[in-house]
Structures are given as structure tokens and as C-alpha cells.
Amino acid sequence: MEQIITLKSGVLEYPWIIRAYLLSRAETQGVELTPFMVLRGNPHDYWFLDGDFIDRGEID
């Protein structure tokens, strides 16, 4: 988990999966998160990311 959060996992999509999870949990709990400094925008807008992989939300 630490490697993913520090962007050292080697899988570009993993941080985006964690980001989506955190945003979802924060929304359901009514928590306002500090904006992300690195992972911004919609991952589907980045040609080099696998959007379907991110949408599945699974980390091996």
C-alpha cells in the first residue's frame, strides 16, 4: 500500500484505483478531502492509462 501511495508500485493504474476508492468513501461519509496534488482530472483522459482496469477497482 505504501508503494502505491508514494507512486512507486510500478503499475500506473493502482494510485488511480486508490484515489477513486478514497473519493467514494469520503463522499459517502460526508468528508471533504484535501485536493490531490499529483493525480488530477479524469484518468480516462490520459491515453496511457487503462481506464477499464481502473474502473474494475482491483489491485493484485
Side-chain angles (χ1 to χ4, degrees):
M1 183 64 85
E2 184 176 333
Q3 287 183 326
I4 294 171
I5 292 172
T6 58
L7 305 177
K8 297 177 183 176
S9 70
V11 180
L12 295 176
E13 289 81 4
Y14 283 178
W16 288 95
I17 293 170
I18 298 295
R19 176 186 182 269
Y21 172 78
L22 292 173
L23 290 172
S24 173
R25 291 288 302 210
E27 183 179 340
T28 61
Q29 295 182 2
V31 175
E32 185 176 339
L33 296 176
T34 302
F36 290 90
M37 299 300 292
V38 177
L39 304 175
R40 295 183 180 193
N42 184 337
H44 294 281
D45 294 338
Y46 297 102
W47 62 267
F48 53 86
L49 294 174
D50 184 345
D52 292 333
F53 183 82
I54 294 168
D55 290 343
R56 283 193 300 277
E58 299 173 358
I59 295 176
D60 296 330

